[in-house]
Amino acid sequence: MNFGDYLYIVAAILFTWMTFVIIRNYFRSKFNDKGQRLDMLDEYEGEDNKE
C-alpha cells in the first residue's frame, strides 16, 4: 500500500468519527438527562401535575 491509501483510510476514519460526534452532540442538546425533549418540557410538566 502506498501513502495515498493510508491517507484515504485515515480520512475515512476521521470522517466517521466526526459524523458520530456531531450527531451525538445534536441529540444531547435536544434532550435532558431524563430523556425528555427540551422544547416540550412544558408538556411534561403538565403531565406531572395530572398525577
Side-chain angles (χ1 to χ4, degrees), residues 9-41:
I9 292 170
V10 169
I13 291 171
L14 285 175
F15 175 77
T16 304
W17 179 75
M18 287 173 27
T19 303
F20 173 77
V21 168
I22 290 169
I23 292 171
R24 184 187 62 182
N25 288 336
Y26 174 77
F27 279 104
R28 281 186 177 176
S29 70
K30 294 288 181 188
F31 296 92
N32 65 9
D33 293 335
K34 295 180 182 179
Q36 300 168 333
R37 286 184 54 124
L38 293 176
D39 59 345
M40 301 178 84
L41 281 180

